[in-house]
Amino acid sequence: KDAGYVDRLAGSRIANAVFSSLLIPLVFLGCANVCGGAVALLAAMLLAFDPRHIGMSRIAHIDSVLTVFVALSLGLYLCAVA
């Protein structure tokens, strides 16, 4: 059996949780440029307390990492267009 499996799994879950928490400020900054501060704060708070986002952040899976990269690319596109 692989003795380090549990350590690698825990490390990847922690890294995924930290990385997917970056989505909340990205949503805030993206919405603040488009919709204004109050709407951006509401969107960031809804995302921060979304059970699906919290659940996917705890799993060592690629979905939350891809969500962060899609939000980042959309934000960079909107900055380039403006």
Side-chain angles (χ1 to χ4, degrees):
K1 290 190 175 190
D2 189 9
Y5 173 73
V6 175
D7 294 333
R8 286 194 310 272
L9 182 62
S12 62
R13 288 178 70 184
I14 290 170
N16 195 18
V18 169
F19 191 75
S20 62
S21 68
L22 295 174
L23 184 62
I24 297 167
L26 282 175
V27 166
F28 177 77
L29 293 174
C31 287
N33 289 337
V34 176
C35 301
V39 175
L41 183 62
L42 178 64
M45 293 297 288
L46 285 173
L47 181 63
F49 295 112
D50 182 26
R52 290 187 182 122
H53 177 69
I54 294 169
M56 289 304 291
S57 298
R58 295 178 58 200
I59 300 172
H61 206 266
I62 195 153
D63 289 343
S64 60
V65 176
L66 289 176
T67 304
V68 171
F69 281 132
V70 167
L72 182 64
S73 65
L74 180 63
L76 290 174
Y77 173 75
L78 290 175
C79 287
V81 169

